[in-house]
Amino acid sequence: MDQSLTRLTQGLRASFSNKRQAFESPPLYGNILVRLHPLTHWRPGSLLLEQADAISAADPYRVRAPRADIAPKRGLIIHNHSSKEAQRFWADMGHQERRKPIQEDDLNRLEGCTYMIKETPTSFRFDRGHDRIVHEHLWVAITEPFRFEKTQDFFSETPKAWINKLNEAQTHMPTAPTLQ
């Protein structure tokens, strides 16, 4: 896999904003902030996602726990989880100590919300939802994909042992097919 899982996890472990896109097309896009912090007390590839309007950044309207992984026949994927008690974690989770009480038992796996990731030479793509049975698009940005720019990297929050485990997992997996 040529370290694709590690690159994906490292690329997601950050804060993003679509401010430029929102200001260019205000009727179509709100100014959204997305923060993905590593959940280092969980399995490698586990992240805490907070999505908030820029005007209320400390009060996210969506909290998820995505986990990047490799599926033997599908390649790179992200499993998505929601909180059983969503509002329990609806606060700025920017500090590792605030994230430590979150356990995997606090979450529900979101059926039908596993993202298949396609790696390009310069990025990863997964901004579409498909029906699992008929493969029709269920959701996608209205006019064009959301364009998020990285505003802060959370590299310092990720222990080296976590990255080593991601790299080890890849060396034991067969090469994944190209996703279309």
Side-chain angles (χ1 to χ4, degrees):
M1 287 297 293
D2 189 37
Q3 311 304 320
S4 295
L5 181 60
T6 302
R7 282 195 305 277
L8 174 63
T9 303
Q10 289 174 338
L12 289 174
R13 190 190 54 220
S15 181
F16 301 90
S17 171
N18 73 329
K19 180 179 180 178
R20 185 181 316 210
Q21 183 181 40
F23 285 17
E24 289 172 359
S25 302
L28 299 174
Y29 299 95
N31 188 0
I32 301 169
L33 304 178
V34 178
R35 296 179 293 258
L36 292 120
H37 290 277
L39 289 169
T40 57
H41 59 291
W42 289 11
R43 291 189 289 172
S46 299
L47 303 164
L48 179 72
L49 178 145
E50 294 180 298
Q51 190 170 339
D53 289 316
I55 58 172
S56 55
D59 187 24
Y61 59 83
R62 180 173 294 133
V63 177
R64 298 285 188 262
R67 185 177 59 247
D69 207 348
I70 298 176
K73 294 181 181 178
R74 292 168 51 197
L76 288 170
I77 59 172
I78 294 178
H79 298 287
N80 211 355
H81 302 81
S82 66
S83 173
K84 291 177 183 174
E85 301 175 58
Q87 294 183 346
R88 178 175 165 207
F89 304 115
W90 283 19
D92 183 7
M93 292 293 193
H95 302 286
Q96 284 184 334
E97 292 303 312
R98 290 186 187 156
R99 295 189 299 272
K100 282 190 179 177
I102 304 171
Q103 299 301 313
E104 290 195 53
D105 289 348
D106 294 322
L107 304 174
N108 290 320
R109 186 162 177 183
L110 293 170
E111 293 301 322
C113 288
T114 297
Y115 309 123
M116 294 188 307
I117 309 301
K118 180 175 179 167
E119 184 175 18
T120 71
T122 59
S123 66
F124 294 94
R125 302 185 66 89
F126 53 94
D127 193 20
R128 297 174 182 231
H130 293 85
D131 182 281
R132 295 183 321 182
I133 297 170
V134 297
H135 305 291
E136 291 178 6
H137 287 178
L138 295 177
W139 57 262
V140 68
I142 296 169
T143 57
E144 64 181 54
F146 286 95
R147 293 188 323 253
F148 286 94
E149 297 174 13
K150 189 180 286 191
T151 58
Q152 184 179 1
D153 194 309
F154 301 137
F155 176 78
S156 63
E157 296 180 9
T158 308
K160 187 167 180 59
W162 211 63
I163 298 299
N164 290 340
K165 285 182 184 177
L166 286 171
N167 290 334
E168 279 179 32
Q170 292 180 136
T171 61
H172 295 94
M173 296 297 295
T175 303
T178 303
L179 301 174
Q180 299 295 325

